[in-house]
Amino acid sequence: MIGRTDTHDPTRGTDTRGEAVPEERTDTELLIASRTEPEAFTELYRRHAEDLLRYFARRTLDPETAAELTAETFAEAFASRATYRDQGVNGVAWLYGIARHRLGRFFRNGKVDAAARRKLGMPERDLPPEDYERIEDLIDFAPIREALAEALESLSPDQREAMRLRVIDGLGYAEVAERLKCTEQNARQRVSRGLRKIALLLQERGMQLTTEVEA
Amino acid sequence: MNTDIRSLQLLERDLEGVAARERDRLSSADRALDGGSGGPRRLPRRGRGGGHAWGGIAAALVAVLVLAGGIGLLAQGGSSDDSGGESRAAIDADSGADAGSAGGGAGGSGSGPQATVAPAPAEAPAGDASYLSDEAFGTLSESERAALGYSEEAARDAAPPGSPLQGVGALPEQQGDLTKIIRDGRIGIVIADGSFSKGVAGVTQIARRNGGFVLESSSRDERSGALTLRVPAKRFDDTMLALRALSGQLDGEVEFQDITGQDVTAEFIDLQARLDILKDRRELLLDIQADATSTSEILRLAALIDDVQLQIENIQGRLNFLKDQVAEATIKVEVRERDVQREDPGSDPENPSLADSFELAVQGVLRIIGAVVVGLGYLIPLGVIALIGWGVVRLVRRRDRGAN
């Protein structure tokens, strides 16, 4: 994903033939422009959507929750873009400020609010089956594998077994479903629910799920 | 979009749809606002920003002012009756309420210069000063009682049969209320056509029969007019009743009636006390002057005596005026034949003139502003406390988040 920051701007100016090229706008410029050009916001989205999804996935461990939080964060950012003021704060930092706020609410309430999406008339979509593994790939389970093993004890037997097969043994969902004698979708949901529960549990215990520093 | 995650692709499509709708909204707003003048467009804000926010602020401000006004009116409600100055007992002409009972009741011990409507007891102890409460009367010295015009003979003469005052040895404490009240009344009578002369004659007779007289009179086309009567205070209620009865005798009705009472007891007592002091001072100065030996001293004392004498005369004049006003009530009678329109409807409290209405409106506005100011006096300290509390809660929450 191509992202443009506010501190480095190598594409501005002219190309090697000396011809003028369209200047790529910084995140801050896109945010400000989106007040009168709503399409500029989608450009900002394209730049940062996957990073933000990873940010949520590594903290919630749950693909469904991460996707919902990503959607809600962008919806809220769009709805309140008029309140953004360029006071030296990078546009993307403002976006992650909203993300942190959303994440905090999720850890407090245990669910993702959909108010911003409803306000904008956006649908609340279920996570497509193929995205579970793709989003899990964004999560680096290695640093928390040990903590996860302990937290597994708090899950129901079905969830625990699904989690063990998927996260600890590293099997694919097809194999997990085969071992558990259930559908792949069912296996994904068990893992997803288990991960969400563990994420909330680890958060309660004050355990840092990732050391990644956002933009 | 450079990602293979399906949910992000769907989300991108959703956001593009939202952006397109927003674009349409902005375009239509632009067209509506400036007709495409090409000027810089302003983003119609959602939620917390923009015009909605200003609307919210304005609504909140109005709500606060209304609340303040309500609180102010409530706060002033208790005191407004006491500070109203002259009180008025307006009687609905059609209600047929008895004038005596409407203006009646014990005068009490009103402390203001103008207080509750004057009593009109036909059976009340009459005399020049007969309305002071027993308790208040008991606290007066002999000179003060005399100053109030009280005499045992007058009280006995005016007392109803069976009253303790009829007894020879009636005690001062039993001699009733000596409150000094100036009573005024207004009554409008509508009579049958062609009976104006009879009406005026009837009013005059009523005044005479009750020991009073017609102070002023005026008429218009011999079909309507106004008379000002002066009657002894003790005959006030009888006179008002007789005037009401007169309207019936002339196939008419009472159009309006109101009775006012002004309590001047406190002023009266104060003036009398000041008069006594000044008289004593005058005597003292005269004694000193008699012993004075030098011309300059005699002249200086003479100036002082003149000054005291002037003050005595002023007070005495005011006392005489009050006595006169208390002793005799004033009744303004408006008489008109049925077909004649009222000349001055503005004086009718039920149907005020444009000028009176304007004055009332100004008073109303000032009263509301006053109420709002009073209400803000209550609300501002509460608001400051609430703001501090809100700030503390916000701070604590922020710290908690930081700790987490």
Side-chain angles (χ1 to χ4, degrees):
Chain A
M1 189 170 281
I2 300 167
R4 286 283 301 107
T5 68
D6 295 320
T7 54
H8 180 58
D9 190 10
T11 62
R12 280 180 191 268
T14 57
D15 64 7
T16 52
R17 292 168 296 180
E19 292 175 0
V21 294
E23 290 185 352
E24 192 178 348
R25 290 180 287 189
T26 64
D27 296 329
T28 300
E29 286 168 345
L30 282 175
L31 254 182
I32 292 170
S34 69
R35 296 177 190 176
T36 51
E37 294 174 47
E39 294 81 3
F41 189 85
T42 54
E43 175 57 30
L44 188 74
Y45 169 81
R46 286 184 202 108
R47 288 184 186 177
H48 297 289
E50 197 169 310
D51 289 340
L52 198 67
L53 180 66
R54 183 184 298 110
Y55 169 87
F56 284 127
R58 288 185 174 177
R59 281 158 180 77
T60 63
L61 305 179
D62 175 18
E64 286 179 2
T65 304
E68 272 198 274
L69 283 169
T70 304
E72 188 64 13
T73 299
F74 275 109
E76 187 174 330
F78 183 86
S80 55
R81 68 196 190 284
T83 63
Y84 173 73
R85 295 282 178 274
D86 185 10
Q87 295 173 327
V89 178
N90 189 322
V92 83
W94 178 79
L95 184 68
Y96 274 89
I98 296 173
R100 271 196 299 275
H101 179 64
R102 283 281 141 204
L103 189 67
R105 288 188 66 167
F106 165 71
F107 283 127
R108 279 197 300 277
N109 304 330
K111 60 180 181 182
V112 182
D113 194 9
R117 279 172 286 171
R118 280 198 292 271
K119 188 176 174 182
L120 295 179
M122 290 168 65
E124 293 174 49
R125 298 182 186 278
D126 290 332
L127 190 67
E130 63 269 29
D131 277 4
Y132 281 89
E133 285 178 83
R134 181 68 188 83
I135 295 174
E136 279 172 14
D137 289 344
L138 301 176
I139 306 171
D140 182 8
F141 285 113
I144 57 169
R145 208 172 291 273
E146 193 176 332
L148 276 176
E150 291 175 17
L152 282 175
E153 297 305 316
S154 65
L155 301 179
S156 68
D158 283 349
Q159 286 177 340
R160 185 165 56 239
E161 186 59 15
M163 284 284 294
R164 189 182 63 75
L165 293 171
R166 171 66 189 152
V167 178
I168 296 176
D169 297 343
L171 302 181
Y173 275 114
E175 206 169 345
V176 172
E178 194 183 330
R179 296 269 186 97
L180 295 176
K181 295 184 172 39
C182 65
T183 63
E184 267 191 54
Q185 179 65 15
N186 201 325
R188 285 191 186 93
Q189 283 181 350
R190 286 184 194 180
V191 173
S192 177
R193 307 279 189 278
L195 285 170
R196 184 185 304 180
K197 200 168 176 182
I198 286 173
L200 290 168
L201 193 71
L202 295 178
Q203 181 71 23
E204 276 176 21
R205 292 179 184 174
M207 192 170 289
Q208 186 70 32
L209 297 182
T210 179
T211 54
E212 181 198 42
V213 179
E214 61 270 13
Chain B
M1 184 169 182
N2 188 21
T3 180
D4 57 349
I5 299 174
R6 178 75 180 139
S7 61
L8 290 183
Q9 292 167 352
L10 292 171
L11 182 56
E12 181 182 11
R13 196 190 304 163
D14 294 340
L15 280 171
E16 282 171 350
V18 170
R21 287 199 296 275
E22 187 72 359
R23 157 71 64 191
D24 292 344
R25 197 170 67 85
L26 289 170
S27 301
S28 59
D30 277 352
R31 281 195 297 275
L33 283 173
D34 55 31
S37 64
R41 284 177 302 183
R42 294 181 60 198
L43 175 66
R45 292 183 177 182
R46 290 176 179 272
R48 290 174 290 178
H52 295 303
W54 284 111
I57 290 168
L61 198 63
V62 168
V64 166
L65 290 177
V66 168
L67 183 64
I71 291 172
L73 284 175
L74 281 175
Q76 289 179 335
S79 59
S80 62
D81 292 341
D82 300 333
S83 60
E86 185 177 36
S87 59
R88 169 169 292 192
I91 299 173
D92 183 356
D94 296 327
S95 69
D98 184 278
S101 62
S109 56
S111 58
Q114 295 173 317
T116 320
V117 83
E123 70 281 11
D128 189 32
S130 56
Y131 298 106
L132 206 63
S133 68
D134 293 351
E135 189 180 335
F137 187 91
T139 63
L140 299 180
S141 66
E142 284 298 325
S143 62
E144 285 171 334
R145 288 175 195 167
L148 287 168
Y150 173 79
S151 71
E152 289 191 4
E153 290 76 14
R156 275 197 296 273
D157 290 344
S163 161
L165 294 179
Q166 290 289 315
V168 176
L171 294 172
E173 287 76 13
Q174 298 171 300
Q175 287 164 352
D177 194 352
L178 286 180
T179 304
K180 308 294 277 186
I181 290 177
I182 298 170
R183 305 188 70 195
D184 290 308
R186 285 176 66 245
I187 185 168
I189 301 169
V190 180
I191 55 177
D193 290 340
S195 57
F196 176 72
S197 299
K198 285 184 189 173
V200 172
V203 171
T204 309
Q205 276 185 359
I206 288 169
R208 282 184 188 160
R209 208 165 51 231
N210 286 285
F213 57 94
V214 177
L215 184 67
E216 289 175 358
S217 71
S218 63
S219 65
R220 187 181 180 188
D221 301 331
E222 288 299 309
R223 297 192 65 195
S224 67
L227 299 95
T228 303
L229 312 183
R230 294 279 287 163
V231 295
K234 63 182 178 181
R235 303 296 303 171
F236 177 84
D237 298 303
D238 290 342
T239 307
M240 291 297 285
L241 284 171
L243 289 168
R244 290 181 68 87
L246 177 67
S247 65
Q249 289 164 13
L250 296 175
D251 193 22
E253 70 226 17
V254 175
E255 190 177 23
F256 64 86
Q257 173 183 319
D258 57 280
I259 298 168
T260 59
Q262 182 184 354
D263 190 338
V264 293
T265 311
E267 183 186 5
F268 203 91
I269 292 172
D270 179 53
L271 287 172
Q272 186 59 49
R274 285 170 58 194
L275 185 64
D276 289 345
I277 290 168
L278 287 169
K279 281 179 176 175
D280 289 346
R281 183 179 295 174
R282 183 181 60 185
E283 293 305 314
L284 182 66
L285 288 170
L286 286 171
D287 287 347
I288 295 170
Q289 190 185 39
D291 296 337
T293 53
S294 69
T295 309
S296 62
E297 192 177 4
I298 290 170
L299 289 174
R300 191 172 61 83
L301 286 165
L304 287 173
I305 291 166
D306 285 348
D307 184 46
V308 170
Q309 183 63 31
L310 187 65
Q311 291 182 53
I312 287 171
E313 286 168 7
N314 281 340
I315 290 173
Q316 191 66 61
R318 176 66 183 163
L319 277 170
N320 291 341
F321 172 76
L322 290 177
K323 280 181 187 175
D324 180 60
Q325 291 294 306
V326 170
E328 288 187 337
T330 303
I331 301 172
K332 291 183 178 174
V333 186
E334 286 183 35
V335 183
R336 69 175 175 89
E337 294 181 3
R338 203 177 301 279
D339 285 350
V340 179
Q341 291 293 318
R342 276 195 76 197
E343 197 173 337
D344 180 21
S347 57
D348 181 1
E350 297 296 326
N351 187 19
S353 68
L354 189 62
D356 285 349
S357 299
F358 180 75
E359 193 178 339
L360 285 170
V362 170
Q363 286 173 2
V365 169
L366 291 175
R367 186 173 158 81
I368 287 172
I369 291 171
V372 169
V373 170
V374 171
L376 285 175
Y378 285 85
L379 277 182
I380 286 173
L382 290 174
V384 169
I385 291 167
L387 207 64
I388 291 169
W390 178 73
V392 169
V393 169
R394 227 176 125 79
L395 201 67
V396 169
R397 280 189 181 170
R398 211 173 264 180
R399 278 186 185 170
D400 286 349
R401 271 185 217 162
N404 288 336

